[in-house]
Amino acid sequence: MKKTILLTALVLNGLLSSAQTNDEKNIKLFYKKALTEAKCYTWLEYLSNDIGARLSGSKGAAEAVEYTKRQLESLGLDKVYLQEVMVPHWVRGEKETAYILDGKVKTNVPICALGASIATPKTGLTAEVIEVQGIKELNELGADKVKGKIVFYNRPMNPENIETFTSYGACVDQRYAGAKEAAKLGAVGSIVRSMGLRLDDFPHTGNQSYGDLPKEQYIPTAAISTNGAELLSKSLKANPSLKFYFKQSCETLPDVLSHNVIGELTGSVNPDNIMVVGGHLDSWDLADGSHDDGAGVVQSMEVIRILKNLNYKPKNTIRVVLFMNEENGGKGGAKYEEVSKQKNENHIFALESDSGGFSPRGFSIEADDANLKKIQGFKDFFEPYLVHSFTIGHAGSDISHLTSKAIVKAGLKPDSQRYFDYHHAANDKFDAINKRELELGAATMTSLVYLIDQTGIELPKAN
């Protein structure tokens, strides 16, 4: 009896070892394919340099839909199609201007309107400035000190955090809700320090919301570059009565019909189980959005290209989804989930790349303990490629909408140290992308998709 048990154990161990060796070989092949024959860099070059900025509702966004659809069709996937979605159409208008007015001295500073902001009067807006470190301090000041002024939010990103997204999350509320809160207290405008760790002259845009304010209470709002913020803060200390001038001509037009772009490989064993890999096709309008999120788009396309090129037959249906309108509305992700519910689709896994095209370091995971432990058990496969971080955290804005009964979500985590040098700014261009780092990210994503497809997810235990 003991010999039988021992023999069985040896056989099982041998099978497990064989399966693990096969996985290691396949993952090595994914990296080889990505580093020697990937198309993601070429796709991104076209998206960035030939199409350019892709803000929802724009000509660039429409061209990007058609281009990526054609590229997916060329891969010979089982299905490629467009999914209609209505999206906001906000336009920036003429380039913004701003200056600090200290007595008769005018000092120009770089600004850019925030998404969904209204315009200033045609001649611009001039007012005294009140500087605050955030919304809490603003509310403590009260309407008497705020009314009739421009509120200047100047809380910087904390440089102490190694994970820079932690710093971003700790101060982005002043960008998103700053205008609304300032308007409640009677401010005539607001400006916010750009979300970035570097001192430079690139203002960073981003979406903001007036919430449930009536339209007559809307005030114009803009981001000021970090150098501009430092100068304004220093100038206010010397002369609290100085004034600030800015002019912008942005407006919100009627919603526009756009599309999510979807391609898939049908599962050979469990075709009704869907695994999504994706990024968002839209970008802000100041640049071509190569890191945010052109990189995530082409990496997701590369995942399915590698698998198809290797004639891989997935157990589950693998679907690449290029979401529209993540930046200023999230309509693409919401529409995808709406249609998924209507079709009663079952998503078991979703992976998003929306943190730039830098060297991959791991994954941010939304899962229960059992599935987190399962994915962390894959570490040995990734360590040869310097991918080591498998932690609980936000996986991605677009896939956050997915609500299947049992689903695991993950977000690619590239090195984040330089991401906020480019995020939502005019320097987020193709020349900021490193080809090898982009390809390594695609290979890392392919490897996780493969491992989940092979092993499935841990289902909740029945009560």
Side-chain angles (χ1 to χ4, degrees):
M1 183 68 177
K2 289 182 179 179
K3 287 183 178 181
T4 303
I5 294 173
L6 179 60
L7 181 60
T8 302
L10 288 171
V11 170
L12 287 174
N13 286 337
L15 289 173
L16 289 172
S17 177
S18 176
Q20 186 173 27
T21 300
N22 191 52
D23 290 340
E24 289 173 350
K25 288 179 178 178
N26 285 335
I27 290 171
K28 185 175 182 179
L29 185 57
F30 299 152
Y31 278 89
K32 178 182 178 180
K33 288 286 184 181
L35 294 171
T36 60
E37 56 183 62
K39 290 189 176 182
C40 55
Y41 190 70
T42 301
W43 286 331
L44 184 57
E45 182 177 24
Y46 190 92
L47 273 177
S48 299
N49 295 336
D50 289 72
I51 294 178
R54 304 175 298 280
L55 188 60
S56 293
S58 69
K59 179 183 177 183
E63 290 179 353
V65 166
E66 293 304 319
Y67 173 69
T68 51
K69 178 175 180 283
R70 290 197 305 271
Q71 298 310 306
L72 289 175
E73 287 172 339
S74 73
L75 301 181
L77 305 179
D78 296 321
K79 292 180 183 178
V80 177
Y81 55 99
L82 300 181
Q83 185 178 77
E84 292 187 349
V85 54
M86 296 299 294
V87 298
H89 188 197
W90 177 83
V91 294
R92 184 172 301 279
E94 296 179 2
K95 183 176 175 58
E96 304 88 343
T97 57
Y99 55 77
I100 299 167
L101 184 59
D102 193 347
K104 294 183 178 181
V105 178
K106 297 179 180 179
T107 305
N108 293 326
V109 290
I111 69 158
C112 65
L114 293 176
S117 176
I118 63 169
T120 60
K122 290 185 178 181
T123 57
L125 172 65
T126 305
E128 290 188 356
V129 180
I130 182 94
E131 178 180 353
V132 295
Q133 289 293 300
I135 292 170
K136 181 181 178 181
E137 183 181 343
L138 173 76
N139 289 327
E140 289 172 351
L141 289 174
D144 289 345
K145 294 183 179 179
V146 174
K147 189 175 182 179
K149 295 183 179 179
I150 294 171
V151 173
F152 168 38
Y153 292 97
N154 193 33
R155 183 164 82 256
M157 286 177 61
N158 187 348
E160 295 180 18
N161 294 314
I162 301 302
E163 176 49 76
T164 62
F165 281 89
T166 301
S167 299
Y168 176 72
C171 62
V172 74
D173 64 322
Q174 61 190 338
R175 188 195 75 199
Y176 184 74
K180 176 186 70 175
E181 297 303 322
K184 287 180 180 178
L185 298 178
V188 294
S190 68
I191 54 174
V192 61
R193 182 190 185 99
S194 287
M195 304 291 110
L197 288 158
R198 185 173 70 177
L199 291 176
D200 61 26
D201 294 317
F202 294 103
H204 294 222
T205 191
N207 211 37
Q208 66 86 36
S209 172
Y210 295 113
D212 57 1
L213 283 180
K215 288 187 176 181
E216 58 269 21
Q217 284 188 246
Y218 288 8
I219 60 175
T221 181
I224 185 171
S225 72
T226 49
N227 275 339
E230 292 288 298
L231 177 62
L232 178 56
S233 182
K234 182 179 178 181
S235 300
L236 281 168
K237 288 178 174 62
N239 178 12
S241 298
L242 63 74
K243 294 184 178 181
F244 189 84
Y245 167 90
F246 72 112
K247 179 183 177 183
Q248 55 192 42
S249 55
C250 45
E251 62 178 321
T252 299
L253 302 174
D255 288 359
V256 172
L257 176 64
S258 189
H259 302 85
N260 294 327
V261 183
I262 303 172
E264 66 181 51
L265 293 174
T266 305
S268 59
V269 179
N270 303 303
D272 292 336
N273 288 346
I274 299 170
M275 299 173 59
V276 163
V277 56
H280 65 85
L281 197 50
D282 60 308
S283 75
W284 279 105
D285 57 320
L286 297 178
D288 36 80
S290 291
H291 276 295
D292 187 20
D293 185 33
V297 165
V298 299
Q299 286 173 328
S300 300
M301 294 168 65
E302 189 65 46
V303 169
I304 210 161
R305 188 203 71 82
I306 289 173
L307 296 175
K308 175 63 178 176
N309 183 260
L310 291 172
N311 200 31
Y312 177 69
K313 305 296 183 185
K315 294 181 179 181
N316 308 285
T317 293
I318 297 177
R319 185 180 286 174
V320 57
V321 184
L322 311 181
F323 298 95
M324 182 57 70
N325 185 234
E326 186 273 346
E327 292 293 6
N328 62 335
K331 300 295 186 180
K335 172 57 72 172
Y336 181 83
E337 167 64 0
E338 177 187 326
V339 173
S340 174
K341 278 188 172 181
Q342 291 170 355
K343 294 181 176 180
N344 200 30
E345 291 181 334
N346 179 42
H347 289 78
I348 63 168
F349 179 70
L351 170 61
E352 184 164 351
S353 174
D354 186 18
S355 299
F358 300 101
S359 292
R361 293 290 179 258
F363 298 96
S364 181
I365 303 159
E366 294 180 33
D368 57 17
D369 290 343
N371 282 295
L372 175 63
K373 185 177 180 180
K374 180 187 185 72
I375 294 176
Q376 288 175 335
F378 297 150
K379 278 187 176 183
D380 287 348
F381 292 119
F382 289 94
E383 284 183 355
Y385 308 99
L386 306 182
V387 174
H388 61 273
S389 178
F390 296 77
T391 58
I392 283 288
H394 178 63
S397 297
D398 293 301
I399 62 176
S400 68
H401 297 275
L402 289 171
T403 57
S404 291
K405 186 175 181 181
I407 183 171
V408 173
K409 302 177 185 179
L412 181 68
K413 282 181 62 177
D415 188 295
S416 69
Q417 304 314 309
R418 291 176 290 140
Y419 181 64
F420 290 99
D421 294 349
Y422 304 100
H423 184 247
H424 296 180
N427 60 341
D428 186 5
K429 297 181 177 180
F430 184 68
D431 61 7
I433 295 289
N434 178 280
K435 179 176 181 290
R436 185 173 178 82
E437 291 180 336
L438 181 75
E439 293 165 350
L440 285 168
T444 302
M445 293 167 67
T446 306
S447 301
L448 183 60
V449 168
Y450 163 80
L451 289 169
I452 295 291
D453 182 57
Q454 286 292 301
T455 62
I457 65 170
E458 300 296 321
L459 298 175
K461 293 181 180 179
N463 293 329

